[in-house]
Amino acid sequence: MEVIRIPRIMREISKELRFKGKSIGFIPTMGALHEGHLSLIRRAKEENDIVIVSIFVNPTQFAQGEDYEKYPRDVELDKEKLEALAIDYLFLPDVNSLYPEGYSTYVVVEGLSDKLCGIFRPGHFRGVATIVCKLFNIVKPLRAYFGQKDYQQSLIIRRMVEDLNFDIEIIVCPTVREQDGLAMSSRNLYLNEKERQSATVIYKALKEGERLLNKGEKPLDVKLKMHEILKNEPLIREIQYAGVYDPLTLEEVKERQNKYLLAVALKIGDTRLIDNLIVE
Ligand code: PAF
């Protein structure tokens, strides 16, 4: 595995690889790699000649007061995990090389970015769309891999790719879960033992929502039941949203339809956790 830190060099390598006809599979990450990331990498390895992973904790997607400073960073451990998977390149830029003095261009995917997480994290998806757009231009992948846990993010990136005519296939892979159902996330590292235990309620609420929808219950009743389950967990400090949404528009669904997104965002202590399920 070769580690590349300078965007210009990464761009030249990718250009050369594409010129030689190699397919590049790309997994953008913020590090603190867990099994969820590794599953994306394995899939990319199966489908591409070359696999590039980036690690960059992107400041523009964190609002003031969020966890940018304390976001878990352990590049040495991440490198070991990537070496073990024998990826080809790790792109590891620093903040100044991607956002130099005078940087002033941002990508905004209107509409979708203002729903669900966008309400509670203003500017977050502007930062995500901007960095992903930049990384796509540098790495020039044929395919890019994202996890379904960040469902809204993947929807926004698909929209951006379509609207800005990127020639990149976006592949969204299933959420990887712990044995008790908790979705893997770098932020799970923030949870103490009791909080970690209480976090399992998120998957329980989603699964109950799925069961009720499959039984034919109305989306609004399903939402109420999910809230009831979550409210019974004393360590949950704030339920930001929990309910039944349209998987394409992210609007709340009130009547029965063919496909639903069940989604939850909440805070346990200071830790914000999200998860979702698609129900057909
Ligand atoms: O999902 C993430 O880890 C980040 O939002 C991403 C896509 C790497 C952009 O910084």
Side-chain angles (χ1 to χ4, degrees):
M1 175 182 85
E2 214 176 310
V3 181
I4 311 292
R5 292 174 186 275
I6 300 172
R8 180 182 48 79
I9 296 185
M10 186 72 258
R11 222 169 55 187
E12 275 162 18
I13 292 173
S14 296
K15 198 164 138 191
E16 183 74 17
L17 288 165
R18 291 299 296 266
F19 182 72
K20 286 185 183 150
K22 303 280 185 202
S23 57
I24 298 178
F26 176 47
I27 304 94
T29 82
M30 298 206 299
L33 301 179
H34 51 68
E35 196 45 46
H37 298 112
L38 305 186
S39 72
L40 304 181
I41 296 171
R42 285 190 203 102
R43 168 96 185 256
K45 282 199 67 160
E46 279 168 23
E47 297 177 349
N48 301 277
D49 300 322
I50 299 287
V51 170
I52 304 181
V53 174
S54 65
I55 296 182
F56 179 66
V57 185
N58 173 38
T60 64
Q61 70 188 72
F62 292 81
Q64 202 81 37
E66 287 189 348
D67 56 343
Y68 175 67
E69 301 297 340
K70 75 162 192 180
Y71 196 84
R73 291 164 173 87
D74 190 342
V75 175
E76 288 316 309
L77 186 61
D78 287 345
K79 274 188 190 162
E80 279 174 30
K81 293 179 183 172
L82 296 173
E83 291 276 14
L85 285 179
I87 67 153
D88 299 280
Y89 295 94
L90 166 60
F91 180 44
L92 196 59
D94 66 17
V95 175
N96 286 333
S97 68
L98 287 181
Y99 297 111
E101 187 72 21
Y103 185 89
S104 43
T105 304
Y106 294 88
V107 178
V108 176
V109 178
E110 291 181 349
L112 289 175
S113 300
D114 304 327
K115 313 252 168 72
L116 300 181
C117 290
I119 299 169
F120 301 92
R121 303 190 69 189
H124 170 66
F125 290 114
R126 169 188 188 256
V128 170
T130 301
I131 193 63
V132 171
C133 185
K134 284 167 69 65
L135 291 169
F136 280 178
N137 281 328
I138 295 166
V139 173
K140 306 183 196 313
L142 183 65
R143 302 185 185 92
Y145 297 79
F146 296 86
Q148 195 201 303
K149 201 209 75 168
D150 297 301
Y151 181 85
Q152 186 174 9
Q153 167 172 283
S154 60
L155 203 63
I156 287 170
I157 289 165
R158 274 191 199 286
R159 182 81 257 162
M160 177 187 83
V161 161
E162 198 170 320
D163 289 352
L164 297 185
N165 308 92
F166 278 101
D167 197 3
I168 300 174
E169 188 186 348
I170 301 301
I171 295 163
V172 180
C173 302
T175 303
V176 179
R177 299 181 179 282
E178 304 284 356
Q179 281 206 332
D180 57 11
L182 180 66
M184 292 212 183
S185 161
S186 307
R187 288 192 169 95
N188 292 351
L189 291 171
Y190 298 149
L191 301 170
N192 65 32
E193 217 172 293
K194 280 192 179 147
E195 292 172 335
R196 167 66 187 79
Q197 185 50 42
S198 74
T200 57
V201 74
I202 301 172
Y203 189 57
K204 284 185 197 130
L206 288 169
K207 287 302 277 182
E208 180 61 6
E210 178 183 53
R211 192 184 72 78
L212 294 174
L213 280 176
N214 285 335
K215 225 180 96 189
E217 298 274 337
K218 286 207 182 107
L220 272 181
D221 295 333
V222 174
K223 172 186 172 175
L224 289 178
K225 184 68 196 173
M226 288 170 69
H227 276 258
E228 194 187 305
I229 295 171
L230 295 170
K231 279 185 186 142
N232 269 335
E233 175 46 63
L235 288 189
I236 293 181
R237 210 184 73 195
E238 179 193 355
I239 301 171
Q240 295 192 333
Y241 61 81
V244 188
Y245 306 90
D246 183 281
L248 293 179
T249 63
L250 303 181
E251 295 289 354
E252 192 166 356
V253 170
K254 298 205 168 83
E255 303 299 332
R256 299 278 308 167
Q257 57 183 48
N258 287 337
K259 200 170 171 184
Y260 307 95
L261 166 73
L262 286 167
V264 173
L266 50 74
K267 278 190 166 179
I268 296 183
D270 285 336
T271 307
R272 186 175 186 276
L273 300 172
I274 58 171
D275 198 357
N276 67 80
L277 284 182
I278 295 285
V279 181
E280 300 206 34

PDB file of all heavy atoms in Angstrom, residues 28-30 37 56 58 61 124 128 131-132 146 150 153 157, ligand 1:
ATOM      1  N   PRO A  28     -14.142   6.824   0.382  1.00  0.00           N
ATOM      2  CA  PRO A  28     -13.765   7.987   1.181  1.00  0.00           C
ATOM      3  C   PRO A  28     -14.142   7.732   2.640  1.00  0.00           C
ATOM      4  O   PRO A  28     -15.254   7.268   2.917  1.00  0.00           O
ATOM      5  CB  PRO A  28     -14.616   9.120   0.595  1.00  0.00           C
ATOM      6  CG  PRO A  28     -15.745   8.464  -0.113  1.00  0.00           C
ATOM      7  CD  PRO A  28     -15.393   7.042  -0.374  1.00  0.00           C
ATOM      8  N   THR A  29     -13.245   8.037   3.567  1.00  0.00           N
ATOM      9  CA  THR A  29     -13.545   7.834   4.990  1.00  0.00           C
ATOM     10  C   THR A  29     -12.971   8.994   5.811  1.00  0.00           C
ATOM     11  O   THR A  29     -12.158   9.777   5.313  1.00  0.00           O
ATOM     12  CB  THR A  29     -12.927   6.526   5.557  1.00  0.00           C
ATOM     13  OG1 THR A  29     -11.549   6.769   5.884  1.00  0.00           O
ATOM     14  CG2 THR A  29     -13.029   5.368   4.599  1.00  0.00           C
ATOM     15  N   MET A  30     -13.380   9.020   7.071  1.00  0.00           N
ATOM     16  CA  MET A  30     -12.756   9.959   8.005  1.00  0.00           C
ATOM     17  C   MET A  30     -11.903   9.182   9.009  1.00  0.00           C
ATOM     18  O   MET A  30     -11.586   9.686  10.094  1.00  0.00           O
ATOM     19  CB  MET A  30     -13.822  10.787   8.724  1.00  0.00           C
ATOM     20  CG  MET A  30     -14.639  11.630   7.736  1.00  0.00           C
ATOM     21  SD  MET A  30     -15.371  13.108   8.445  1.00  0.00           S
ATOM     22  CE  MET A  30     -16.428  12.402   9.671  1.00  0.00           C
ATOM     23  N   HIS A  37     -16.458   0.048   7.337  1.00  0.00           N
ATOM     24  CA  HIS A  37     -15.548   0.529   6.275  1.00  0.00           C
ATOM     25  C   HIS A  37     -14.903  -0.652   5.561  1.00  0.00           C
ATOM     26  O   HIS A  37     -14.777  -0.676   4.340  1.00  0.00           O
ATOM     27  CB  HIS A  37     -14.410   1.374   6.874  1.00  0.00           C
ATOM     28  CG  HIS A  37     -14.859   2.615   7.568  1.00  0.00           C
ATOM     29  ND1 HIS A  37     -14.755   2.787   8.926  1.00  0.00           N
ATOM     30  CD2 HIS A  37     -15.398   3.762   7.091  1.00  0.00           C
ATOM     31  CE1 HIS A  37     -15.210   3.981   9.264  1.00  0.00           C
ATOM     32  NE2 HIS A  37     -15.602   4.596   8.169  1.00  0.00           N
ATOM     33  N   PHE A  56      -9.659  11.461   5.789  1.00  0.00           N
ATOM     34  CA  PHE A  56      -9.583  12.914   5.948  1.00  0.00           C
ATOM     35  C   PHE A  56     -10.751  13.346   6.830  1.00  0.00           C
ATOM     36  O   PHE A  56     -11.913  13.155   6.461  1.00  0.00           O
ATOM     37  CB  PHE A  56      -9.672  13.611   4.578  1.00  0.00           C
ATOM     38  CG  PHE A  56      -9.618  15.111   4.666  1.00  0.00           C
ATOM     39  CD1 PHE A  56      -8.459  15.756   5.099  1.00  0.00           C
ATOM     40  CD2 PHE A  56     -10.719  15.881   4.311  1.00  0.00           C
ATOM     41  CE1 PHE A  56      -8.413  17.147   5.191  1.00  0.00           C
ATOM     42  CE2 PHE A  56     -10.682  17.274   4.398  1.00  0.00           C
ATOM     43  CZ  PHE A  56      -9.515  17.902   4.839  1.00  0.00           C
ATOM     44  N   ASN A  58     -12.942  15.876   7.700  1.00  0.00           N
ATOM     45  CA  ASN A  58     -13.255  17.062   6.909  1.00  0.00           C
ATOM     46  C   ASN A  58     -13.867  18.183   7.762  1.00  0.00           C
ATOM     47  O   ASN A  58     -15.021  18.083   8.174  1.00  0.00           O
ATOM     48  CB  ASN A  58     -14.250  16.633   5.811  1.00  0.00           C
ATOM     49  CG  ASN A  58     -14.785  17.812   5.040  1.00  0.00           C
ATOM     50  OD1 ASN A  58     -14.050  18.768   4.765  1.00  0.00           O
ATOM     51  ND2 ASN A  58     -16.050  17.744   4.681  1.00  0.00           N
ATOM     52  N   GLN A  61     -17.595  19.821   7.297  1.00  0.00           N
ATOM     53  CA  GLN A  61     -18.876  19.151   7.549  1.00  0.00           C
ATOM     54  C   GLN A  61     -19.240  19.109   9.040  1.00  0.00           C
ATOM     55  O   GLN A  61     -20.229  18.500   9.407  1.00  0.00           O
ATOM     56  CB  GLN A  61     -18.902  17.753   6.928  1.00  0.00           C
ATOM     57  CG  GLN A  61     -18.005  16.719   7.588  1.00  0.00           C
ATOM     58  CD  GLN A  61     -17.953  15.421   6.774  1.00  0.00           C
ATOM     59  OE1 GLN A  61     -17.350  15.373   5.713  1.00  0.00           O
ATOM     60  NE2 GLN A  61     -18.592  14.381   7.271  1.00  0.00           N
ATOM     61  N   HIS A 124     -23.904  20.750   7.307  1.00  0.00           N
ATOM     62  CA  HIS A 124     -23.193  19.466   7.287  1.00  0.00           C
ATOM     63  C   HIS A 124     -23.092  18.895   5.864  1.00  0.00           C
ATOM     64  O   HIS A 124     -22.004  18.550   5.389  1.00  0.00           O
ATOM     65  CB  HIS A 124     -23.906  18.471   8.211  1.00  0.00           C
ATOM     66  CG  HIS A 124     -23.425  17.064   8.090  1.00  0.00           C
ATOM     67  ND1 HIS A 124     -22.146  16.688   8.449  1.00  0.00           N
ATOM     68  CD2 HIS A 124     -24.032  15.937   7.614  1.00  0.00           C
ATOM     69  CE1 HIS A 124     -21.992  15.388   8.214  1.00  0.00           C
ATOM     70  NE2 HIS A 124     -23.112  14.910   7.706  1.00  0.00           N
ATOM     71  N   VAL A 128     -20.089  17.877   3.260  1.00  0.00           N
ATOM     72  CA  VAL A 128     -19.920  16.516   2.724  1.00  0.00           C
ATOM     73  C   VAL A 128     -19.867  16.566   1.192  1.00  0.00           C
ATOM     74  O   VAL A 128     -18.969  15.991   0.562  1.00  0.00           O
ATOM     75  CB  VAL A 128     -21.077  15.587   3.189  1.00  0.00           C
ATOM     76  CG1 VAL A 128     -21.028  14.259   2.450  1.00  0.00           C
ATOM     77  CG2 VAL A 128     -21.016  15.346   4.693  1.00  0.00           C
ATOM     78  N   ILE A 131     -16.517  18.093  -0.058  1.00  0.00           N
ATOM     79  CA  ILE A 131     -15.309  17.266   0.050  1.00  0.00           C
ATOM     80  C   ILE A 131     -15.395  16.049  -0.872  1.00  0.00           C
ATOM     81  O   ILE A 131     -14.398  15.660  -1.496  1.00  0.00           O
ATOM     82  CB  ILE A 131     -15.013  16.848   1.521  1.00  0.00           C
ATOM     83  CG1 ILE A 131     -13.602  16.280   1.644  1.00  0.00           C
ATOM     84  CG2 ILE A 131     -15.986  15.820   2.052  1.00  0.00           C
ATOM     85  CD1 ILE A 131     -12.496  17.239   1.325  1.00  0.00           C
ATOM     86  N   VAL A 132     -16.589  15.469  -0.984  1.00  0.00           N
ATOM     87  CA  VAL A 132     -16.713  14.285  -1.844  1.00  0.00           C
ATOM     88  C   VAL A 132     -16.469  14.691  -3.301  1.00  0.00           C
ATOM     89  O   VAL A 132     -15.792  13.990  -4.055  1.00  0.00           O
ATOM     90  CB  VAL A 132     -18.078  13.583  -1.633  1.00  0.00           C
ATOM     91  CG1 VAL A 132     -18.306  12.489  -2.671  1.00  0.00           C
ATOM     92  CG2 VAL A 132     -18.149  12.985  -0.223  1.00  0.00           C
ATOM     93  N   PHE A 146     -20.227   3.659  -0.398  1.00  0.00           N
ATOM     94  CA  PHE A 146     -20.712   4.311   0.820  1.00  0.00           C
ATOM     95  C   PHE A 146     -21.583   3.324   1.592  1.00  0.00           C
ATOM     96  O   PHE A 146     -22.122   2.387   1.020  1.00  0.00           O
ATOM     97  CB  PHE A 146     -21.544   5.559   0.462  1.00  0.00           C
ATOM     98  CG  PHE A 146     -20.741   6.627  -0.222  1.00  0.00           C
ATOM     99  CD1 PHE A 146     -20.560   6.599  -1.604  1.00  0.00           C
ATOM    100  CD2 PHE A 146     -20.127   7.630   0.503  1.00  0.00           C
ATOM    101  CE1 PHE A 146     -19.793   7.564  -2.251  1.00  0.00           C
ATOM    102  CE2 PHE A 146     -19.364   8.607  -0.127  1.00  0.00           C
ATOM    103  CZ  PHE A 146     -19.187   8.570  -1.504  1.00  0.00           C
ATOM    104  N   ASP A 150     -25.356   5.851   6.588  1.00  0.00           N
ATOM    105  CA  ASP A 150     -25.492   7.283   6.278  1.00  0.00           C
ATOM    106  C   ASP A 150     -26.384   7.419   5.041  1.00  0.00           C
ATOM    107  O   ASP A 150     -25.946   7.884   3.985  1.00  0.00           O
ATOM    108  CB  ASP A 150     -24.110   7.889   6.031  1.00  0.00           C
ATOM    109  CG  ASP A 150     -23.253   7.816   7.276  1.00  0.00           C
ATOM    110  OD1 ASP A 150     -23.659   8.378   8.295  1.00  0.00           O
ATOM    111  OD2 ASP A 150     -22.194   7.159   7.232  1.00  0.00           O
ATOM    112  N   GLN A 153     -26.776  10.855   3.394  1.00  0.00           N
ATOM    113  CA  GLN A 153     -25.515  11.223   2.717  1.00  0.00           C
ATOM    114  C   GLN A 153     -25.425  10.541   1.343  1.00  0.00           C
ATOM    115  O   GLN A 153     -25.080  11.172   0.344  1.00  0.00           O
ATOM    116  CB  GLN A 153     -24.340  10.811   3.602  1.00  0.00           C
ATOM    117  CG  GLN A 153     -23.000  10.835   2.903  1.00  0.00           C
ATOM    118  CD  GLN A 153     -21.844  10.618   3.861  1.00  0.00           C
ATOM    119  OE1 GLN A 153     -21.473  11.517   4.566  1.00  0.00           O
ATOM    120  NE2 GLN A 153     -21.258   9.432   3.865  1.00  0.00           N
ATOM    121  N   ILE A 157     -25.242  12.321  -2.293  1.00  0.00           N
ATOM    122  CA  ILE A 157     -24.102  12.121  -3.196  1.00  0.00           C
ATOM    123  C   ILE A 157     -24.576  11.597  -4.564  1.00  0.00           C
ATOM    124  O   ILE A 157     -24.114  12.048  -5.604  1.00  0.00           O
ATOM    125  CB  ILE A 157     -23.047  11.213  -2.540  1.00  0.00           C
ATOM    126  CG1 ILE A 157     -22.375  12.009  -1.428  1.00  0.00           C
ATOM    127  CG2 ILE A 157     -22.002  10.732  -3.555  1.00  0.00           C
ATOM    128  CD1 ILE A 157     -21.590  11.198  -0.452  1.00  0.00           C
TER     129      ILE A 157
HETATM  130  O1  PAF B   1     -19.142   9.252   5.747  1.00  0.00           O
HETATM  131  C1  PAF B   1     -18.052   9.819   5.999  1.00  0.00           C
HETATM  132  O2  PAF B   1     -17.167   9.265   6.633  1.00  0.00           O
HETATM  133  C2  PAF B   1     -17.828  11.230   5.498  1.00  0.00           C
HETATM  134  O3  PAF B   1     -18.994  11.972   5.532  1.00  0.00           O
HETATM  135  C3  PAF B   1     -17.190  11.279   4.092  1.00  0.00           C
HETATM  136  C4  PAF B   1     -18.098  10.680   3.043  1.00  0.00           C
HETATM  137  C5  PAF B   1     -15.853  10.548   4.114  1.00  0.00           C
HETATM  138  C6  PAF B   1     -16.925  12.736   3.705  1.00  0.00           C
HETATM  139  O4  PAF B   1     -16.066  13.362   4.600  1.00  0.00           O
END
